[in-house]
């Protein structure tokens, strides 16, 4: 099939590449010239495991190309995906500027019948707006489909090649057959392609993200209570997650959720409800509790060192909003690092992939270093914010000897409290007891 993917970001680049991998001809379009130039030189502008190999293979076969020329790409394609950003507007609603701009551009470029697919996360009713925007620019026939994306950054290739489910909102049986055909190579293991009306498809994406955000937030709140009552959230998590109705995923407490999706999507869902005269009380509470959770680590640091952190240096491990990505959009690390800086502390930070993003966000305000030991060197305490695998088994002796004080605030519970106490660390984690360190003055 001839496919045009408009918006070559985390979603568009991965989805476009995976469609090319199954033999389709895919043209990825973006407005950012620098991005397209990089891709045409074989440089991947984002970090996503496995993506480079897949892009190389498909560009060398000629099935995957990159351009800024939307007009030409649309003319050459039957299926046109919209995968541009939908950032939060000032009032929390989803800003559809890019989506509707692209819809108009597709309309102008059309040279015959087209299928237009909303892959961006968009509020219920957006397909109608897209239809309206396109029809103002063209007399040609077209269909609008909602096909929300469920990939996770860090596992995006696997999620795209073997999705748990594919959701297709469509009202034309011929287009339904076309979309099922397009996705058939990805669901050979029996995962469902769920076909529904367009509005339900748009709603499904928000309901999924809201439930996931609520699950994390619920566990974060349980972790806080565990600390108060002297329970260990790790045991509680295992006990709760073993119930098959609940499951183990998304029960790990931490420093609050971030990323480019959950925060904006729950805001947009709450806004949709408000515009229909309804308050989503659970969703609004999720947002509020998550904001509190992001302040938790700085609060613990201040409870230990006092409100004034002047003269103290903090090593930071992990800045991306989660491991295996360079994405720092809405990352809790931003709130935590800024909290330390505002209290007068200094920060030396390391992240395996997000250093360029961190440089854009923090500039000269923090010191970015080349590895985790350098970040901890001379620090009064180490803050673990993102649970990259490489932080799981460090050389604790080297770490303890290089730090000014052997104190760790672990926002992801990656170590065992007993072991850390035995190694001489003063170890604070989330929802678990803090034990006195042995053989150390920390
Ligand atoms: P992104 O910011 O990484 O990519 C969007 C791309 O669109 C950018 O490269 C931007 O330059 C380009 N763009 C903007 N306006 C354009 C235009 N007029 N013409 C062509 N290109 C244009 O965003 P993303 O993370 O890929 O997210 C895209 C959408 O997918 C959002 O709605 C998001 O909510 C949704 N989504 C994201 C994820 C994720 O994990 N990132 C997962 C599921 C759904």
């Amino acid at each position: 099939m001839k496919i045009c993917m408009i918006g070559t970001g985390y979603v568009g680049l991965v989805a476009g590449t995976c469609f090319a991998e199954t033999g389709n001809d895919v043209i990825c379009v973006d407005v950012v010239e620098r991005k397209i130039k990089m891709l045409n030189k074989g440089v991947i502008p984002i970090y996503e495991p496995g993506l480079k190999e897949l892009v190389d293979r498909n560009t060398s076969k000629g099935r995957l190309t990159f351009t800024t020329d939307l007009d030409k790409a649309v003319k050459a394609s039957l299926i046109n995906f919209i995968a541009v950003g939908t950032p939060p507007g000032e009032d929390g609603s989803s800003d559809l500027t890019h989506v509707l701009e692209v819809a108009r551009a597709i309309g102008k470029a059309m040279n015959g019948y087209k299928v237009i697919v909303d892959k961006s996360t968009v509020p219920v009713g957006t397909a109608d707006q897209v239809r309206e925007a396109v029809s103002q620019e063209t007399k040609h026939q077209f269909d609008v489909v909602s096909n929300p994306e469920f990939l996770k950054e860090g596992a995006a290739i696997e999620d795209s090649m073997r999705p748990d489910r594919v959701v297709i909102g469509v009202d034309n049986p011929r287009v339904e057959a076309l979309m099922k055909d397009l996705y058939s190579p990805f669901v050979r293991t029996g995962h469902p392609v769920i076909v529904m009306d367009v509005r339900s498809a748009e709603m499904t994406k928000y309901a999924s993200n809201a439930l996931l955000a609520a699950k994390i937030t619920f566990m974060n709140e349980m972790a806080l209570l565990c600390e108060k009552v002297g329970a260990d959230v790790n045991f509680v998590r295992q006990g709760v997650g073993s119930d098959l109705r609940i499951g183990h995923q998304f029960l790990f407490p931490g420093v609050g959720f971030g990323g480019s999706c959950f925060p904006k999507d729950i805001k947009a869902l709450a806004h949709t409800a408000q515009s229909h005269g309804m308050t989503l009380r659970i969703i609004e509470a999720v947002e509020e509790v998550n904001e509190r959770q992001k302040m938790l680590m700085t609060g613990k640091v201040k409870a230990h060192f006092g409100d004034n952190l002047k003269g103290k240096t903090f090593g930071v491990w992990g800045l991306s909003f989660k491991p295996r990505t360079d994405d720092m959009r809405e990352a809790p690390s931003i709130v935590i690092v800024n909290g330390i800086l505002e209290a007068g502390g200094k920060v030396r930070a390391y992240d395996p992939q997000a250093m360029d993003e961190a440089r854009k966000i923090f500039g000269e305000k923090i010191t970015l270093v080349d590895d985790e030991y350098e970040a901890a060197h001379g620090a009064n305490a180490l803050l673990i914010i993102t649970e990259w695998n490489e932080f799981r088994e460090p050389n604790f002796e080297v770490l303890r000897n290089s730090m000014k004080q052997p104190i760790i605030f672990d926002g992801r519970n990656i170590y065992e409290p007993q072991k850390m106490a035995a190694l001489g660390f003063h170890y604070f984690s989330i929802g678990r007891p803090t034990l006195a360190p042995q053989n150390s003055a920390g």
Side-chain angles (χ1 to χ4, degrees):
M1 289 186 213
K2 304 274 184 207
I3 295 174
C4 168
M5 183 65 68
I6 305 171
T8 309
Y10 285 88
V11 165
L13 180 56
V14 171
T17 304
C18 291
F19 285 135
E21 177 70 7
T22 53
N24 299 292
D25 289 319
V26 181
I27 308 172
C28 287
V29 180
D30 207 283
V31 273
V32 178
E33 231 167 87
R34 192 182 55 89
K35 206 175 248 193
I36 295 301
K37 271 194 185 140
M38 284 171 83
L39 285 160
N40 279 326
K41 283 188 194 145
V43 181
I44 310 296
I46 55 168
Y47 173 73
E48 182 59 47
L51 184 56
K52 165 93 176 121
E53 294 83 338
L54 221 54
V55 169
D56 285 350
R57 183 159 64 237
N58 285 286
T59 47
S60 69
K61 291 266 182 187
R63 289 191 297 251
L64 180 63
T65 54
F66 303 100
T67 181
T68 53
D69 191 343
L70 182 144
D71 187 80
K72 216 164 146 188
V74 169
K75 284 191 166 64
S77 308
L78 170 63
I79 307 181
N80 296 271
F81 281 91
I82 304 179
V84 295
T86 45
E90 297 240 313
D91 58 358
S93 66
S94 180
D95 180 350
L96 296 177
T97 311
H98 302 306
V99 171
L100 296 177
E101 197 177 284
V102 169
R104 284 189 292 273
I106 293 173
K108 279 197 187 105
M110 277 168 61
N111 54 348
Y113 173 78
K114 303 284 170 192
V115 175
I116 300 166
V117 187
D118 283 339
K119 189 164 258 316
S120 298
T121 303
V122 289
V124 176
T126 301
D128 295 337
Q129 292 188 51
V130 166
R131 201 171 287 120
E132 178 62 27
V134 176
S135 60
Q136 281 183 1
E137 305 292 342
T138 185
K139 291 275 172 282
H140 291 291
Q141 298 280 306
F142 65 93
D143 279 287
V144 178
V145 175
S146 167
N147 171 218
E149 180 55 61
F150 295 98
L151 65 76
K152 302 181 289 294
E153 286 172 24
I157 303 289
E158 177 63 19
D159 288 346
S160 295
M161 295 305 290
R162 271 171 287 278
D164 292 345
R165 81 307 207 179
V166 175
V167 169
I168 297 172
V170 61
D171 49 20
N172 175 340
R174 270 188 307 147
V175 181
E176 174 185 332
L178 182 78
M179 292 301 290
K180 278 183 167 167
D181 206 17
L182 176 65
Y183 273 107
S184 61
F186 303 100
V187 291
R188 290 171 57 82
T189 45
H191 289 171
V193 175
I194 308 168
V195 177
M196 55 183 80
D197 63 276
V198 171
R199 283 180 173 247
S200 300
E202 290 172 333
M203 185 69 194
T204 301
K205 174 64 190 176
Y206 284 99
S208 297
N209 273 3
L211 189 55
L212 290 169
K215 201 173 174 190
I216 299 175
T217 305
F218 175 84
M219 216 51 203
N220 281 339
E221 211 160 39
M222 289 302 112
L224 289 188
L225 187 57
C226 284
E227 285 182 18
K228 300 271 184 229
V229 300
D232 182 331
V233 74
N234 213 19
F235 290 127
V236 176
R237 178 180 62 75
Q238 290 168 38
V240 168
S242 301
D243 185 326
L244 293 181
R245 293 169 302 177
I246 297 172
H248 289 287
Q249 293 197 44
F250 274 72
L251 287 186
F252 290 82
V255 290
F257 62 77
S260 67
C261 291
F262 289 177
K264 82 170 170 56
D265 291 351
I266 59 169
K267 272 197 184 77
L269 186 60
H271 187 272
T272 299
Q274 282 158 13
S275 64
H276 287 79
M278 198 184 152
T279 304
L280 293 181
R281 285 163 60 187
I282 294 177
I283 299 308
E284 292 190 0
V286 166
E287 190 179 2
E288 192 185 319
V289 173
N290 192 56
E291 286 308 307
R292 187 182 69 191
Q293 195 72 12
K294 288 196 276 185
M295 315 292 278
L296 182 75
M297 191 183 264
T298 322
K300 285 188 177 187
V301 168
K302 286 183 183 170
H304 187 79
F305 288 102
D307 283 346
N308 186 349
L309 301 178
K310 220 164 174 200
K312 306 266 186 304
T313 299
F314 297 88
V316 166
W317 285 6
L319 295 163
S320 56
F321 86 93
K322 66 173 180 180
R324 293 164 67 83
T325 182
D326 58 348
D327 199 344
M328 281 189 65
R329 289 178 281 186
E330 301 271 339
S333 65
I334 301 173
V335 174
I336 296 166
V337 166
N338 282 335
I340 299 288
L341 296 176
E342 276 157 27
K346 286 202 165 71
V347 170
R348 287 166 66 81
Y350 167 71
D351 186 283
Q353 292 295 338
M355 301 295 263
D356 289 344
E357 288 306 304
R359 217 161 273 125
K360 286 184 214 158
I361 292 167
F362 296 116
E364 303 291 305
K365 288 197 291 184
I366 67 173
T367 307
L368 291 164
V369 294
D370 289 337
D371 77 55
E372 59 268 43
Y373 294 100
E374 223 185 311
H377 188 83
N380 293 86
L382 171 65
L383 315 185
I384 300 174
I385 301 181
T386 316
E387 69 280 30
W388 285 90
N389 268 343
E390 63 190 81
F391 302 151
R392 288 181 190 273
E393 299 283 348
N395 185 328
F396 286 109
E397 212 177 309
V398 170
L399 185 63
R400 195 186 56 228
N401 291 336
S402 76
M403 291 175 70
K404 196 165 183 184
Q405 290 177 277
I407 304 174
I408 296 180
F409 294 87
D410 178 358
R412 300 293 179 176
N413 288 354
I414 60 177
Y415 309 131
E416 282 310 312
Q418 288 81 358
K419 179 180 165 187
M420 297 308 284
L423 286 165
F425 283 95
H426 204 149
Y427 176 68
F428 299 87
S429 55
I430 310 272
R432 300 186 300 175
T434 302
L435 308 176
Q438 297 158 18
N439 319 318
S440 159

